[in-house]
Amino acid sequence: EPEVTQTPSHQVTQMGQEVILRCVPISNHLYFYWYRQILGQKVEFLVSFYNNEISEKSEIFDDQFSVERPDGSNFTLKIRSTKLEDSAMYFCASSGHGTAGGEKLFFGSGTQLSVL
Amino acid sequence: GENVEQHPSTLSVQEGDSAVIKCTYSDSASNYFPWYKQELGKRPQLIIDIRSNVGEKKDQRIAVTLNKTAKHFSLHITETQPEDSAVYFCAASDSNYQLIWGAGTKLIIKP
């Protein structure tokens, strides 16, 4: 079964540093998402991406965050100047169609980001 | 925007008994309601989902019911087994691009 892959699995960074989290969505999917989960808490939507632009973003996704699809396969999340509260598990997901159509989300295994 | 409430936060049941987790949502336009199971340190895995044109869906020991009028939906697990222990999340889709998640229910299966 095709999978969403994420790298790295763990990332440790100093506060104020930039990080880039990488994802390879399932190849024929059109919608891409980033979610985050702070330890012990719910999964929170960050951003969705379709047709090479952001479709929707949450309040969490402020100017420090950006997403990019630099080529036909990768989908990246950049945090420009990390804060302690950015420490979380970041999940990438993809789907063939938007979820309102009942399309299933496929999640990657996540990147655990630790900001020191 | 959509708001999803999930109860209980923790549920402990005896192995073999049934478990029920309930969620409510606020946006009557929501039309897709998945349930995810998350084991410790792992990604959320979709276990069952339901669309708003259906009232109930069953897959072996797992079933989901939806009451659109009351805006609530529930997950039912029968004949629980130790491997059912995990955190379960409900979610509702309020647009083409975003799922709003409940806070999760930690299900503990006692041997």
Side-chain angles (χ1 to χ4, degrees):
Chain A
E1 187 177 328
E3 279 195 345
V4 176
T5 57
Q6 285 185 247
T7 55
S9 56
H10 292 85
Q11 175 86 51
V12 180
T13 190
Q14 295 290 326
M15 190 169 57
Q17 295 297 304
E18 174 184 287
V19 294
I20 297 176
L21 310 183
R22 303 181 191 277
C23 170
V24 179
I26 293 172
S27 62
N28 61 347
H29 281 182
L30 301 175
Y31 291 80
F32 314 114
Y33 312 81
W34 283 100
Y35 287 83
R36 81 170 186 192
Q37 187 177 31
I38 295 169
L39 186 64
Q41 297 186 24
K42 71 164 82 175
V43 177
E44 298 175 291
F45 170 79
L46 293 179
V47 66
S48 59
F49 193 86
Y50 170 70
N51 201 26
N52 287 317
E53 60 182 22
I54 290 174
S55 309
E56 202 161 347
K57 59 183 181 179
S58 70
E59 292 175 354
I60 302 167
F61 194 88
D62 61 21
D63 292 345
Q64 293 300 313
F65 291 87
S66 62
V67 289
E68 200 175 44
R69 188 156 163 80
D71 53 42
S73 60
N74 290 286
F75 179 52
T76 61
L77 174 70
K78 182 193 289 186
I79 309 175
R80 263 180 270 283
S81 178
T82 50
K83 304 187 286 283
L84 294 176
E85 53 265 38
D86 293 328
S87 295
M89 178 73 89
Y90 288 80
F91 290 105
C92 173
S94 69
S95 65
H97 299 281
T99 52
E103 192 70 15
K104 296 176 173 53
L105 274 184
F106 290 80
F107 281 87
S109 54
T111 294
Q112 180 64 55
L113 177 64
S114 298
V115 182
L116 306 179
Chain B
E2 176 67 279
N3 182 47
V4 176
E5 301 282 340
Q6 183 171 349
H7 301 280
S9 56
T10 304
L11 178 61
S12 184
V13 301
Q14 204 70 39
E15 182 179 348
D17 288 351
S18 295
V20 180
I21 303 170
K22 299 182 179 182
C23 288
T24 60
Y25 62 100
S26 60
D27 188 350
S28 57
S30 291
N31 60 4
Y32 175 61
F33 307 92
W35 285 88
Y36 287 87
K37 175 183 180 182
Q38 188 178 31
E39 295 173 356
L40 191 63
K42 297 191 175 178
R43 77 187 83 185
Q45 297 270 16
L46 179 71
I47 54 171
I48 196 166
D49 55 9
I50 192 167
R51 302 181 192 188
S52 58
N53 59 347
V54 175
E56 184 174 356
K57 184 176 177 181
K58 192 172 180 181
D59 182 4
Q60 298 181 341
R61 297 187 295 109
I62 295 173
V64 57
T65 58
L66 171 65
N67 183 327
K68 281 187 64 179
T69 305
K71 295 206 279 285
H72 65 70
F73 56 114
S74 301
L75 177 72
H76 304 252
I77 306 174
T78 58
E79 299 171 22
T80 51
Q81 300 168 4
E83 53 265 36
D84 295 330
S85 294
V87 179
Y88 291 80
F89 292 95
C90 64
S93 180
D94 69 342
S95 71
N96 208 30
Y97 308 112
Q98 182 176 165
L99 275 180
I100 305 300
W101 295 60
T105 296
K106 183 176 183 180
L107 178 62
I108 301 166
I109 308 300
K110 296 181 289 186

